[in-house]
Amino acid sequence: MLYVSPPPLSDHPALAYSRRRSPHALLNSSGGGSLVEPGRREISRVPKGGWSATDGLWGSKLASKFYGCSNSSSKFLDSGVMTHPDRYLMIVTSGGLNQQRTGIIDAVVAARILNATLVVPKLDQTSFWKDASDFAEIFNADWFISFLSKDVRIVKELPKIGGKLWAPHRMRVPRKCTQRCYLNRVLPALVKKHVVRLTKFDYRLANRLDSDLQKLRCRVNYHALRFTDPIQEMGEKIIQRMRERSTYFIALHLRFEPDMLAFSGCYYGGGEKEKRELGVIRKRWKTLHASNPEKERRHGRCPLTPEEVGLMLRALGYRKNVHIYVASGDIYGGAKTLAPLKALFPNLHTKETVTSKDELAPFSKYSSRMAALDFIVCDGSDAFVTNNNGNMAKILAGRRRYLGHKRTIRPNARKLYSLFLSRGNMSWDAFSSKVHMAQKGFMGEPKELRPGRGEFHENPTTCICENTDPKTPTKPNPRSEQGLINGTEGRKAITEPTVANHTNEELVGSSAEEDDASVEKEDDTSAEKEDDTSEEKEEIADPEAEDDALVRPDDPELEEVLSD
């Protein structure tokens, strides 16, 4: 037996009870050891073995029955017919890479709603992330324009109109602006001014739209937005090097940076030093109030510690020899904080450890390009594990659903809390069994979320079809072609609630805010009902009801910091 020094976060509130009972746990150095208390019977052990590749945690057994389907219907007319020649839409994104990605996606849809030409979006270069990259330095602009040419006319720069460059009319639309909202608020200005510039374009389009517009969102997100060749090639090189180390690998978006921990208001056992350091960061945002760390933890609003993530993965069945790629910024506490996770999974890697300084040099000074590398590796991993529900987690969850329901794990923090608290009083098998139960509905399986629930980027139901005829092979996802029409025999789309497609006459005198508020109220009511009956309904879980506490701040700067 090998004594393991107490982990740096061993007095985490969630572990407080078991710590008082077991201050000197022992961990077998073989990885199949046991947690014991001196002078007491063995009560918990981490087994040496695990599951094999055929056991299902590297992928869903039901994945073959579903496929991405984002082609437009026959009613969706060509942009050449729909676009008005004297309407130009400009947008300025906000936040980190993935928040800006959602803005770009919605900008294309907004241009389609307005029958306008979209000018290639301008990226946020002044926020917390301080990245001076423009669109063409991160995304392949030529591919973006050509792939979407039949959906929306896109130009790289605002052209001169009548021999002169028109000054754009600046405005901002409200959050979750519906189709009706855009036609009522933006279209009149666009008709009059010809060029409209929408600022701080983040979450400015409603979650629920009609089917063809939702499918357009998918075509932009999963096909039109490609990273530049240097970024894509470097990301694929990292994936290749991970595969040289192991046939399968996990990508872990740990999100355990000081800003996230400060915002959470949670306590991680670092004593007065931690309270002082995170308190200073927290004071930067006036909208944050004093929190009850234990209450936040109990309600599942605290990111898991690296050790807890490791315990969850071992309980789910991942072996000690699994290789893990850690996608994260500067971990609070550094190597000391990661030590417990490394004890459970010694093969931890980052982009810095699998590449050389020279290879990373073209990207290292740009936060968005570094984030893009992590995005590519997480997307290409066999299992993706996220420790938060920010934009990167949601976009990747939706993308992995669309591209074959690749294994995607998000901790059910609220239910895991009580398990971590009492794990010292149960056998490892009992702990593992309870973790499996807690994670049901949080593993990226098909139909985990009901149609229409969650954000569309996370749950792109309209763009996922089901093969109902076992004799008909599932079509591969069209990664680069738009013109093919998916066959429908033996297949059906997973539908979400219908959104009316209003005419201009029907829109007169309507209230976009009232319409959107009714949608939000419906979501809130559904979440409450589902939470009340969660113990009775096991067939479909609603992960959305367990989260979002960390990703819906009212402070603009908070949104920038937490956006990825």
Side-chain angles (χ1 to χ4, degrees):
M1 301 293 288
L2 173 69
Y3 277 94
V4 177
S5 59
L9 305 179
S10 61
D11 57 342
H12 188 294
L15 312 180
Y17 178 75
S18 59
R19 184 185 71 251
R20 289 194 294 269
R21 298 285 304 275
S22 177
H24 303 292
L26 298 175
L27 179 63
N28 189 305
S29 60
S30 68
S34 58
L35 293 170
V36 302
E37 296 182 28
R40 294 192 62 197
R41 65 178 178 84
E42 179 180 320
I43 57 176
S44 183
R45 62 184 179 85
V46 180
K48 181 177 181 179
W51 42 270
S52 67
T54 60
D55 287 338
L57 285 183
W58 290 120
S60 170
K61 296 177 182 179
L62 301 175
S64 61
K65 296 181 180 180
F66 300 86
Y67 63 97
C69 52
S70 58
N71 291 315
S72 60
S73 72
S74 58
K75 297 179 181 179
F76 198 77
L77 301 181
D78 190 283
S79 62
V81 177
M82 299 296 294
T83 307
H84 287 247
D86 58 349
R87 295 181 190 175
Y88 288 86
L89 180 66
M90 306 176 71
I91 70 113
V92 181
T93 61
S94 176
L97 173 67
N98 295 291
Q99 182 170 317
Q100 293 188 84
R101 187 185 186 102
T102 64
I104 294 167
I105 296 165
D106 290 346
V108 173
V109 179
R112 175 73 190 199
I113 292 172
L114 298 167
N115 295 327
T117 296
L118 176 68
V119 179
V120 167
K122 177 176 173 56
L123 301 188
D124 183 353
Q125 300 174 333
T126 61
S127 71
F128 170 87
W129 300 97
K130 293 182 173 58
D131 189 320
S133 303
D134 60 29
F135 186 98
E137 290 174 310
I138 297 177
F139 299 106
N140 186 327
D142 291 331
W143 172 260
F144 178 73
I145 294 171
S146 63
F147 185 87
L148 295 170
S149 60
K150 292 185 178 181
D151 299 315
V152 174
R153 181 171 177 260
I154 304 174
V155 296
K156 291 184 177 180
E157 296 179 349
L158 181 67
K160 291 183 178 181
I161 303 175
K164 62 179 181 179
L165 193 63
W166 287 12
H169 174 71
R170 295 168 60 92
M171 62 184 299
R172 185 180 296 178
V173 294
R175 291 292 179 93
K176 299 182 180 180
C177 195
T178 62
Q179 293 167 252
R180 179 186 304 174
C181 169
Y182 274 92
L183 295 175
N184 280 343
R185 290 174 176 262
V186 183
L187 185 58
L190 192 58
V191 171
K192 182 178 181 180
K193 302 291 186 179
H194 302 292
V195 182
V196 167
R197 181 186 179 101
L198 301 180
T199 61
K200 195 170 175 25
F201 199 80
D202 54 349
Y203 316 114
R204 304 292 166 174
L205 185 61
N207 194 45
R208 295 181 181 178
L209 301 170
D210 67 45
S211 178
D212 267 326
L213 292 180
Q214 296 289 53
K215 286 179 178 290
L216 176 56
R217 267 177 163 162
C218 294
R219 290 197 293 279
V220 180
N221 195 1
Y222 307 133
H223 302 292
L225 279 176
R226 285 183 176 179
F227 293 115
T228 60
D229 288 345
I231 293 175
Q232 189 66 38
E233 290 168 4
M234 187 72 250
E236 291 176 356
K237 184 178 292 186
I238 295 174
I239 293 175
Q240 178 185 350
R241 291 177 183 176
M242 289 298 299
R243 298 222 177 275
E244 290 172 356
R245 291 165 168 79
S246 178
T247 304
Y248 302 94
F249 76 93
I250 295 172
L252 169 60
H253 188 213
L254 194 54
R255 204 63 173 96
F256 207 72
E257 296 91 345
D259 54 68
M260 174 60 80
L261 303 188
F263 171 72
S264 73
C266 302
Y267 175 63
Y268 288 92
E272 291 302 317
K273 181 175 182 292
E274 176 192 317
K275 293 178 181 178
R276 182 175 62 256
E277 291 175 345
L278 298 185
V280 170
I281 300 174
R282 192 173 174 85
K283 288 178 181 177
R284 297 205 312 242
W285 306 304
K286 296 179 181 180
T287 56
L288 290 182
H289 305 291
S291 64
N292 181 330
E294 180 63 21
K295 182 179 179 181
E296 297 297 308
R297 173 82 181 177
R298 189 168 61 250
H299 289 173
R301 294 173 184 153
C302 297
L304 300 189
T305 68
E307 179 183 26
E308 290 168 341
V309 172
L311 285 170
M312 177 195 71
L313 292 175
R314 291 296 296 272
L316 287 173
Y318 290 95
R319 292 175 176 172
K320 183 178 182 179
N321 62 357
V322 166
H323 287 249
I324 297 180
Y325 176 88
V326 180
S328 183
D330 295 330
I331 303 297
Y332 181 68
K336 190 177 179 182
T337 300
L338 282 175
L341 175 60
K342 196 171 180 64
L344 292 164
F345 292 96
N347 300 308
L348 293 184
H349 311 276
T350 64
K351 53 184 170 293
E352 289 80 10
T353 62
V354 297
T355 62
S356 67
K357 278 190 175 181
D358 289 341
E359 287 176 315
L360 279 185
F363 316 99
S364 58
K365 294 181 180 179
Y366 303 93
S367 62
S368 290
R369 300 181 204 184
M370 293 289 274
L373 295 179
D374 279 340
F375 186 98
I376 293 168
V377 180
C378 289
D379 184 38
S381 66
D382 300 288
F384 173 57
V385 182
T386 177
N387 196 24
N388 74 101
N389 204 33
N391 287 304
M392 178 171 169
K394 288 183 177 180
I395 290 174
L396 277 170
R399 182 179 178 86
R400 291 171 72 86
R401 284 187 173 101
Y402 180 83
L403 297 175
H405 284 86
K406 296 192 287 183
R407 178 62 65 215
T408 303
I409 303 172
R410 182 158 57 85
N412 184 349
R414 185 172 64 85
K415 290 186 177 180
L416 290 176
Y417 162 77
S418 60
L419 294 180
F420 289 131
L421 194 66
S422 59
R423 80 177 192 275
N425 298 322
M426 67 181 79
S427 68
W428 176 260
D429 288 343
F431 175 72
S432 176
S433 176
K434 289 180 180 293
V435 169
H436 275 86
M437 291 178 64
Q439 284 300 119
K440 188 174 182 180
F442 290 75
M443 299 293 291
E445 289 287 334
K447 297 186 177 181
E448 273 187 352
L449 288 171
R450 289 188 291 109
R453 293 292 290 152
E455 291 190 19
F456 186 76
H457 301 302
E458 180 183 16
N459 185 30
T461 312
T462 309
C463 303
I464 297 176
C465 291
E466 181 177 1
N467 184 357
T468 57
D469 183 357
K471 296 181 181 179
T472 305
T474 300
K475 286 197 172 186
N477 297 298
R479 290 178 180 270
S480 61
E481 295 180 357
Q482 178 184 353
L484 298 177
I485 302 297
N486 290 327
T488 57
E489 182 178 354
R491 297 180 171 87
K492 66 177 182 179
I494 302 173
T495 58
E496 62 180 68
T498 303
V499 179
N501 188 13
H502 300 280
T503 64
N504 285 341
E505 290 78 15
E506 293 171 325
L507 298 175
V508 177
S510 62
S511 170
E513 290 78 8
E514 290 179 5
D515 178 79
D516 216 22
S518 66
V519 172
E520 292 184 11
K521 184 176 181 181
E522 180 184 340
D523 275 350
D524 293 340
T525 303
S526 299
E528 290 174 6
K529 289 181 179 178
E530 198 160 322
D531 187 60
D532 292 339
T533 58
S534 59
E535 298 300 327
E536 301 175 7
K537 295 166 59 178
E538 294 186 356
E539 67 278 3
I540 299 179
D542 181 14
E544 186 199 12
E546 306 288 345
D547 58 32
D548 281 358
L550 293 179
V551 293
R552 295 182 183 275
D554 295 324
D555 189 307
E557 187 179 358
L558 273 176
E559 291 175 332
E560 293 170 356
V561 173
L562 303 172
S563 63
D564 285 15

